Amino acid sequence: MELPNLYLSLFHCLLLTTTGYLCVQGLPHHSRRHHHNRHHLHDEHQLYGFRPTKLFVFGDSYADTGNVRKSLANSWKEPYGTTFPGKPAGRFSDGRVLTDYLAKYLGLKSPIAYIWMKLGEKKLHYGMNFAYGGSGVFNTYNLLPNMSTQIDFFEKLMNNDSVYTKWDLQSSLVLVALAGNDYGAYLANNGTAQGLQTFIPLVINQLAMNLKRLHEMGARKIAVTALEPLGCLPRMTQTSWFQQCNETQNMAVNFHNLLLQQAVEKLNNETQDSAFLVLDLYSSFTTVLDHKKDNSGNLKFDTPLKPCCMGVSNGYLCGSVDENGTKMYTVCNDPKAAFFWDGSHPTEAGWRAVFTAMQPTFEQFF
């Protein structure tokens, strides 16, 4: 399937303005042994119908809960984290993100961020979050750990450090989040719009290899996110004063999502255990944005495309300060009434609405 030239051109413009935040490579892991009861490996088919006992997370800022170094990420600056936990804590939102809502749904506490594992040994039995904001399946910005490297971190904890066992992985849910940083990095490094037609399949192929690797390591429930409607992000809708999404740009995003769906169907056929699930962020986002509320009607977003936190002018972002430390951003009065927190990420309320829209998918999966 070819992506029309018009879409390629618009996708090029889109991705140049939706690059991720600055991040750094993961800190070297120091050996840390976690003692827990060993389980005998059960027959894989006995797992179906059971609630996962742990959550392991890989990906980018839509799932990151604190892996990016403090000196390089807005997620550690005010006003991030004002809703939860009440101060900046590494989440790219005012509060909880996709990982947190998924953990709550499973009856678990949110898994500890990988770089903080030494400080939270008691929390290791909930799983672990290896996601780094701004990362992708390939190298993106500042040599931060790509998804393969994140999986390497996890494999080391299993094989060398005995922090987790194969049973832990077999009885867990794995979340893989990919929000488009590979494309932003590709274009920032002189990639062309026409070249995206061949680059997008490379991204999907690498993602599929990562998913297959996780399955071969023992994972039996793996959820991977489809690409969100990039044309609806505030960075793109500001040209219309946050009044409408660019639907032509969103049609281009569907090329990525179509290839992803095909790749996941192939993996499920090959493994014969339906271990893989696509989380349709595209439909979940658009459902909430179109209806301006969540499924229950408890959360209403009167101007859903306008972010709660934004720079005072071009060149400034949410969290920006000038050389004197003066805040160069504004924050809305009620983040709960805003779907988007900043130029790229939902608020806690936004994520809650998105997850509510996706919940029937999880109920079928489990």
Side-chain angles (χ1 to χ4, degrees), residues 310-313 315-323 325-330:
M310 53 194 300
V312 297
S313 61
Y316 294 107
L317 303 171
C318 179
S320 293
V321 296
D322 65 14
E323 60 275 9
T326 302
K327 296 178 181 178
M328 302 303 292
Y329 60 87
T330 60

Side-chain angles (χ1 to χ4, degrees), residues 30-301:
H30 299 284
S31 177
R32 199 71 168 181
R33 189 171 297 275
H34 176 55
H35 299 282
H36 52 77
N37 293 329
R38 300 293 182 183
H39 298 272
H40 295 293
L41 294 183
H42 293 182
D43 185 277
E44 294 171 2
H45 298 289
Q46 293 179 350
L47 293 172
Y48 299 103
F50 283 78
R51 260 300 200 259
T53 59
K54 292 177 175 60
L55 176 61
F56 294 104
V57 183
F58 305 88
D60 53 31
S61 59
Y62 273 20
D64 186 3
T65 55
N67 276 317
V68 180
R69 187 177 296 173
K70 292 183 177 181
S71 61
L72 292 178
N74 281 8
S75 58
W76 287 101
K77 300 176 182 178
E78 294 182 350
Y80 287 79
T82 52
T83 300
F84 173 85
K87 62 181 180 180
R91 287 171 172 82
F92 290 80
S93 181
D94 65 309
R96 296 170 179 85
V97 296
L98 178 59
T99 299
D100 301 299
Y101 280 106
L102 182 51
K104 182 179 179 180
Y105 173 77
L106 297 175
L108 305 172
K109 290 188 177 179
S110 196
I112 190 168
Y114 168 69
I115 67 166
W116 301 107
M117 63 174 291
K118 292 188 298 182
L119 303 178
E121 277 199 54
K122 294 181 180 179
K123 298 180 180 179
L124 296 183
H125 62 277
Y126 297 117
M128 190 168 292
N129 190 340
F130 299 87
Y132 281 72
S135 69
V137 296
F138 299 124
N139 291 334
T140 52
Y141 313 105
N142 284 351
L143 300 179
L144 71 160
N146 62 34
M147 192 177 293
S148 297
T149 303
Q150 294 172 23
I151 298 173
D152 288 343
F153 293 159
F154 181 41
E155 194 166 39
K156 182 177 184 296
L157 295 185
M158 289 182 64
N159 296 340
N160 298 343
D161 301 334
S162 300
V163 175
Y164 295 111
T165 66
K166 187 174 182 179
W167 165 251
D168 289 326
L169 187 52
Q170 285 185 338
S171 59
S172 72
L173 172 67
V174 174
L175 171 64
V176 176
L178 193 70
N181 292 309
D182 288 289
Y183 302 129
Y186 167 78
L187 294 166
N189 288 312
N190 300 317
T192 65
Q194 190 63 35
L196 277 173
Q197 187 164 311
T198 55
F199 184 65
I200 292 174
L202 294 179
V203 170
I204 296 299
N205 288 342
Q206 181 60 49
L207 177 57
M209 289 174 60
N210 292 338
L211 297 175
K212 185 175 182 179
R213 179 183 173 192
L214 288 166
H215 185 269
E216 290 173 346
M217 289 169 61
R220 290 299 176 265
K221 292 183 183 294
I222 304 171
V224 56
T225 62
L227 202 61
E228 73 280 8
L230 294 174
C232 295
L233 299 183
R235 291 188 179 201
M236 299 310 304
T237 62
Q238 62 183 349
T239 56
S240 67
W241 300 99
F242 309 111
Q243 293 302 307
Q244 60 184 12
C245 301
N246 188 309
E247 296 304 331
T248 305
Q249 293 172 342
N250 284 342
M251 288 177 64
V253 174
N254 286 330
F255 181 57
H256 169 105
N257 290 341
L258 173 63
L259 296 184
L260 173 62
Q261 188 65 49
Q262 292 173 345
V264 167
E265 289 176 0
K266 181 180 179 182
L267 286 170
N268 277 330
N269 289 333
E270 291 175 350
T271 57
Q272 298 182 342
D273 59 9
S274 299
F276 304 92
L277 170 73
V278 174
L279 298 182
D280 194 351
L281 286 190
Y282 189 97
S283 293
S284 299
F285 270 58
T286 54
T287 295
V288 176
L289 293 172
D290 289 345
H291 291 87
K292 298 185 179 181
K293 60 183 179 181
D294 68 359
N295 286 354
S296 65
N298 295 326
L299 291 172
K300 296 184 178 180
F301 310 108

